[in-house]
């Protein structure tokens, strides 16, 4: 109600409306209300593009959130296009950490679409950008190990099912451990790490380990963001 009154008072294209819509969309996204968050993201994005231009950092910030939402809703192709534009905008700025997060986002979306071989470059670029920031050693290590896992998985798809022998699971565990150490046991990215490990172990019929990671993923989702998406 408050947002609607403010919208009527300031005008539909006011920057304050974009900010309000963006903040409300982020809150709804964290709560798992994707269908309610998406139109707010799109409204905020339309206003920012008109007022600030398509290549403004504030516009890119909204695109980042919308891309994350679309990835969760099962629309990774549109999400990838948005995230790639975020990378191009942030590459012109000074915050290498935020640039790295967008590059990791591009990689995750490509992996989601089954294009793991196309994920290596943005992951490597993210790793390089993280080395330019103090205090990112654990995150940098996580990206490195994930790159190694993806590279070995790609090789296994070419020469046969030897992923276990190549140590893909070991690299995923190392990446997960680094994320957990950097962000804590209950962070949503830690939950995503549990999901990736659960998926990996399920594919290799290691049911007990897969179940443990899927259960941990669910606990984080339920406790931290009340995630209601059927994929989780």
């Amino acid at each position: 109600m408050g947002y609607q009154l403010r919208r009527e008072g300031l005008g539909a294209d006011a920057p304050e409306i974009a900010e309000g819509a963006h903040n409300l969309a982020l809150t709804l996204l964290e709560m798992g209300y994707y269908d309610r968050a998406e139109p707010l993201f799109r409204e905020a994005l339309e206003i920012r593009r008109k007022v600030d231009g398509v290549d403004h950092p504030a516009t890119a910030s909204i695109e980042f959130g919308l891309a994350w939402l679309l990835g969760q809703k099962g629309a990774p192709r549109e999400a990838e296009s948005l995230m790639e534009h975020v990378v191009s905008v942030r590459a012109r700025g000074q915050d290498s950490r935020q640039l790295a997060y967008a590059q990791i986002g591009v990689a995750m979306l490509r992996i989601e679409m089954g294009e793991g071989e196309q994920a290596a470059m943005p992951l490597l670029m993210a790793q390089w950008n993280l080395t330019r920031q103090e205090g990112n050693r654990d995150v940098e290590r996580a990206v490195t190990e994930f790159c190694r896992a993806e590279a070995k998985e790609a090789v296994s798809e070419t020469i046969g099912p030897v992923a276990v022998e190549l140590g893909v699971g070991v690299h995923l565990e190392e990446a997960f451990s680094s994320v957990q150490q950097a962000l804590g046991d209950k962070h949503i990215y830690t939950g995503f790490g549990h999901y990736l490990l659960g998926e990996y172990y399920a594919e290799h019929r290691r049911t007990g380990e897969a179940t443990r990671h899927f259960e941990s993923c669910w606990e984080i989702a339920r406790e931290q963001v009340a995630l209601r998406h059927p994929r989780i």
Side-chain angles (χ1 to χ4, degrees), residues 16-226:
E16 294 85 355
I17 298 303
E19 182 180 0
H22 186 202
N23 289 337
L24 182 55
L26 288 172
T27 300
L28 292 169
L29 173 61
E30 290 178 356
M31 295 174 65
Y33 295 116
Y34 298 147
D35 290 339
R36 292 170 61 184
E38 183 176 350
L40 289 166
F41 272 122
R42 293 192 184 278
E43 179 184 7
L45 182 57
E46 182 180 358
I47 295 170
R48 284 296 181 193
R49 284 173 172 171
K50 289 180 181 177
V51 174
D52 297 319
V54 296
D55 293 331
H56 194 278
T59 305
S61 179
I62 298 170
E63 288 180 326
F64 184 91
L66 179 57
W68 177 263
L69 179 148
L70 291 171
Q72 294 299 305
K73 286 189 69 175
R77 189 63 68 186
E78 183 183 359
E80 180 194 26
S81 177
L82 287 167
M83 197 69 81
E84 286 176 339
H85 185 250
V86 175
V87 169
S88 71
V89 172
R90 291 182 176 177
R92 304 167 203 159
Q94 301 298 317
D95 193 335
S96 56
R97 182 186 288 109
Q98 292 300 318
L99 171 58
Y101 291 161
Q103 290 166 328
I104 292 169
V106 170
M108 294 299 99
L109 289 163
R110 290 177 180 175
I111 291 166
E112 179 76 12
M113 294 185 290
E115 300 172 0
E117 70 281 358
Q118 301 298 320
M121 183 56 69
L123 282 172
L124 289 171
M125 292 302 298
Q127 178 192 358
W128 183 79
N129 280 306
L130 287 170
T131 62
R132 299 164 60 192
Q133 292 279 339
E134 295 282 339
N136 285 292
R137 184 161 300 182
D138 289 319
V139 178
E140 177 197 343
R141 182 175 175 225
V143 174
T144 300
E145 294 299 332
F146 193 79
C147 283
R148 290 172 177 169
E150 284 301 309
K152 289 186 176 182
E153 190 72 56
V155 170
S156 73
E157 291 172 1
T158 302
I159 65 176
V162 294
V164 176
E165 290 77 3
L166 286 170
V168 172
V170 173
H171 290 304
L172 287 176
E173 288 281 7
E174 288 290 340
F176 169 75
S177 177
S178 296
V179 170
Q180 190 176 42
Q181 186 170 341
L183 302 176
D185 293 338
K186 298 299 184 180
H187 195 279
I188 189 63
Y189 288 165
T190 303
F192 184 62
H194 279 300
Y195 176 81
L196 290 176
L197 280 167
E199 186 178 50
Y200 169 78
Y201 287 126
E203 287 175 356
H204 293 282
R205 300 183 181 180
R206 295 166 66 170
T207 307
E209 291 162 293
T211 300
R212 176 171 60 86
H213 283 293
F214 282 137
E215 287 177 346
S216 296
C217 174
W218 164 246
E219 282 300 311
I220 292 171
R222 183 179 62 82
E223 293 176 11
Q224 295 299 315
V225 295

